[in-house]
Amino acid sequence: MNDFTVDILRRDDFVLLTDDIKCWIVEIRDIFLLEAHQNLTLVHFASGKLLIRRTLRHCERRLDASIFFRANRSCIVNLSRVVKQPRLLKDERLIFRLRDGQDVVFSRRQSVLFCKTQGFCGFDDPWDWRPRLKTPA
């Protein structure tokens, strides 16, 4: 039995991205969105975008879950790149605006998961989605 350990890429780490033509060295904090394109992933970063030969699932396993969140079946978003407070759509899905002006719509299931894990729902200010410190009882 093989034990594969996957190193989680942290905010200050760098990664080499290649599409067999171009190579980019990108800091993880500069990646703001990853989109699935069949068995490839389109990585959006500060200075461009690149289609890499990795599945979105493989990329998700390497990314820090405290920074990146799976928005829906086809994309992962860097939460530190969100510039506008998320809005709740009528069908109870969250929508986020990224620094480049692109909107990312979460699936209903991922919206619920985000609310539970990030402490977004059920507070006095429903638009304050940042995690809150729990007060001792």
Side-chain angles (χ1 to χ4, degrees), residues 12 18 21-22 48 52 75 93 99 114 123 131:
D12 296 329
T18 182
I21 297 172
K22 298 182 215 170
I52 62 171
C75 77
R93 294 182 303 158
R99 286 187 187 160
F114 183 83
F123 295 106

Side-chain angles (χ1 to χ4, degrees), residues 1 5 9 15 17 22 30 35 37 45-46 59 65 77 84-85 89 113 116-117 123-124 132:
M1 183 170 158
T5 58
L9 297 168
V15 65
L17 300 176
K22 298 182 215 170
D30 291 336
E35 292 181 283
H37 286 275
F45 48 95
C59 294
V77 66
K84 192 173 181 182
Q85 296 293 344
L89 300 174
L113 181 62
K116 287 181 180 178
T117 60
F123 295 106
D124 296 336
R132 296 183 183 249

Side-chain angles (χ1 to χ4, degrees), residues 33-93:
L33 184 68
L34 295 98
E35 292 181 283
H37 286 275
Q38 295 178 344
N39 286 334
L40 305 173
T41 299
L42 183 62
V43 181
H44 298 257
F45 48 95
S47 55
K49 46 186 153 176
L50 193 65
L51 193 62
I52 62 171
R53 293 179 181 257
R54 295 278 187 247
T55 63
L56 194 61
R57 179 178 289 262
H58 178 268
C59 294
E60 183 179 24
R61 280 192 230 126
R62 297 286 317 272
L63 296 170
D64 186 353
S66 68
I67 302 167
F68 291 89
F69 193 84
R70 184 79 175 246
N72 54 49
R73 178 186 290 187
S74 63
C75 77
I76 298 171
V77 66
N78 181 341
L79 296 176
S80 68
R81 293 295 183 164
V82 173
V83 292
K84 192 173 181 182
Q85 296 293 344
R87 293 178 294 140
L88 193 59
L89 300 174
K90 290 181 182 179
D91 62 358
E92 298 181 1
R93 294 182 303 158

